[in-house]
Amino acid sequence: MLVINDQIQIQDWELTEQFIRASGPGGQNVNKVSTAVELRFEAARSPSLPPQVKARLRRLAGRRWTREGAIIIQCDETRSQARNRVIARDRLADLIQKALVAPKKRLRTKPTWSSQQRRLKAKKERGEVKSLRGRVNDGE
């Protein structure tokens, strides 16, 4: 079981782990041992997550979200299979933790009177500079 917080726990049947061969350092051992982990979480079908959290999770997951509604997290950071499992689970927990936080609604504010005056003054000065760019008349 993966514990996210007091209310949300991901059951083991919702997670699928597959071990694959990793790339990178490790010599001949890399070609023989499957140390990389591919963690699959069926997020769309999960009864543990509320709908609004699932929507935010889909946006946060990006390319890791599949058409079937699963999140796939790959980890091949270390040469240890057990350590890669822990890292992948931690990444999933962090992603779900971020999705739990609802974004604050932005309150529109009115510009201050002085900032409006500064803007108008700058526009007027700019217009005067541009008006001086016209043709020069030779005493007509």
Side-chain angles (χ1 to χ4, degrees):
M1 184 185 320
L2 184 65
V3 179
I4 307 300
N5 63 17
D6 295 338
Q7 291 86 25
I8 297 177
Q9 286 118 12
I10 308 299
Q11 302 300 321
D12 288 332
W13 62 267
E14 298 177 75
L15 300 173
T16 310
E17 289 177 337
Q18 186 178 2
F19 300 102
I20 52 178
R21 289 197 181 129
S23 61
Q28 292 177 355
N29 196 50
V30 168
N31 302 326
K32 294 185 290 185
V33 182
S34 299
T35 55
V37 177
E38 189 177 85
L39 181 67
R40 184 181 178 95
F41 170 55
E42 300 294 336
R45 295 187 291 163
S46 174
S48 310
L49 301 175
Q52 61 270 33
V53 173
K54 288 180 187 177
R56 285 193 296 264
L57 188 60
R58 181 178 185 161
R59 190 173 36 83
L60 284 171
R63 287 177 32 210
R64 294 177 287 192
W65 186 277
T66 65
R67 287 192 185 118
E68 298 85 39
I71 295 175
I72 296 176
I73 296 178
Q74 291 182 334
C75 180
D76 62 351
E77 284 183 16
T78 66
R79 294 185 194 180
S80 166
Q81 191 181 76
R83 183 74 187 117
N84 284 336
R85 281 182 74 195
V86 171
I87 292 170
R89 285 172 173 256
D90 288 345
R91 284 184 189 166
L92 178 63
D94 289 343
L95 196 64
I96 295 171
Q97 198 76 41
K98 286 178 187 171
L100 290 174
V101 179
K104 287 184 182 177
K105 190 157 176 75
R106 183 182 178 274
L107 298 175
R108 293 181 67 190
T109 57
K110 188 179 174 186
T112 61
W113 183 82
S114 59
S115 70
Q116 290 176 359
Q117 296 304 314
R118 282 193 303 271
R119 186 181 130 266
L120 293 174
K121 183 180 173 210
K123 281 171 68 84
K124 196 173 290 265
E125 288 174 3
R126 196 79 195 125
E128 288 171 5
V129 167
K130 288 184 175 187
S131 67
L132 294 174
R133 290 185 186 158
R135 287 219 166 110
V136 178
N137 296 334
D138 292 333
E140 289 180 14

